[in-house]
Amino acid sequence: MEIKVLDKTFVPFISEERIQTRLKEIAQQIQKDMNDEVPVFIGVLNGSFMVISDLVKHYKGACEMSFVKMASYIGTQSTNQVNQLLGLDIDVTDRTVVIIEDIVDTGNTLVALKKLFDQHRPKEVKICTLCLKPEAYTKDIPLDYVAFEIENKFIVGYGMDYDKHGRNLPEIYQIKE
Ligand code: IMP
Ligand code: MG
């Protein structure tokens, strides 16, 4: 069923069930890749709060977690400047960090995150994202775990917002043109 968020109409795109299925698969894959390491999951606020919450529930090994806050979007448009609004409060030196994103679009946020983490000399930084827009992604940072590759259209829900609205939707909707 179509929904309205502020002035725009959205159509159902990825169901709760498909999201959970993929997150479980990815949690298991990360666990395999960790061997004996205890990863530090870093949620990128605000958008990734639902992804990290559900992902760590499927992760059955020992792990730590924390959050950073970045913002690059105004309304439905990406801006080139990425601002850090909340920094790192955990020592990641020599640790394996898994950055959890809601969506990678241009990759500007990822570049800023990589820079931030490299300053702290982690052993390794892996990137996990729920969604990727391959047509928009122009950076060469490799993405280790991608749940859904999607077309280059604006989406909302499951943590992602349109002008601060729609984050609470438990599934993902795509803009109707
Ligand atoms: P990037 O820096 O262009 O890769 O954009 C990254 C951030 O912008 C994501 O983490 C989201 O918070 C936000 N974003 C990108 N595309 C969308 C979208 O289609 N809907 C909602 N938010 C988005
Ligand atoms: Mg985000």
Side-chain angles (χ1 to χ4, degrees):
M1 212 186 52
E2 282 183 12
I3 59 160
K4 248 192 132 161
V5 179
L6 300 174
D7 59 327
K8 301 213 187 297
T9 307
F10 291 83
V11 293
F13 186 49
I14 306 175
S15 69
E16 269 187 275
E17 196 189 341
R18 282 182 67 208
I19 295 169
Q20 293 307 324
T21 301
R22 285 296 290 139
L23 288 181
K24 188 170 181 184
E25 288 168 359
I26 285 173
Q28 289 169 346
Q29 186 61 52
I30 295 173
Q31 217 166 327
K32 256 193 219 151
D33 295 348
M34 285 307 136
N35 298 311
D36 288 335
E37 300 243 1
V38 177
V40 183
F41 290 113
I42 301 284
V44 184
L45 294 172
N46 292 325
S48 77
F49 76 99
M50 282 201 192
V51 189
I52 191 167
S53 168
D54 286 336
L55 183 85
V56 297
K57 282 182 260 180
H58 292 300
Y59 193 84
K60 302 304 178 192
C63 66
E64 292 177 27
M65 52 188 292
S66 188
F67 296 88
V68 292
K69 185 164 183 170
M70 318 286 288
S72 70
Y73 253 72
I74 298 171
T76 60
Q77 285 305 305
S78 181
T79 65
N80 280 327
Q81 207 196 329
V82 180
N83 294 310
Q84 187 188 327
L85 306 171
L86 185 69
L88 201 58
D89 66 347
I90 195 169
D91 185 10
V92 297
T93 314
D94 296 325
R95 303 292 303 273
T96 297
V97 170
V98 185
I99 294 176
I100 312 291
E101 268 284 23
D102 49 354
I103 180 165
V104 173
D105 184 9
T106 62
N108 290 328
T109 308
L110 259 198
V111 169
L113 282 168
K114 254 305 236 167
K115 220 191 226 168
L116 172 70
F117 278 90
D118 285 347
Q119 289 166 6
H120 296 269
R121 312 216 163 274
K123 179 176 172 196
E124 193 181 2
V125 178
K126 289 183 177 278
I127 313 290
C128 172
T129 186
L130 184 72
C131 296
L132 168 68
K133 292 177 180 168
E135 288 162 53
Y137 186 58
T138 54
K139 307 295 191 286
D140 49 16
I141 298 170
L143 306 175
D144 302 276
Y145 310 101
V146 178
F148 301 103
E149 290 197 1
I150 63 169
E151 55 191 318
N152 197 4
K153 287 188 185 172
F154 194 77
I155 58 174
V156 74
Y158 199 69
M160 292 173 279
D161 70 308
Y162 165 48
D163 215 358
K164 303 185 184 72
H165 289 252
R167 290 195 198 274
N168 57 319
L169 296 164
E171 61 277 290
I172 299 174
Y173 290 81
Q174 186 181 58
I175 200 155
K176 184 183 177 183
E177 328 227 22

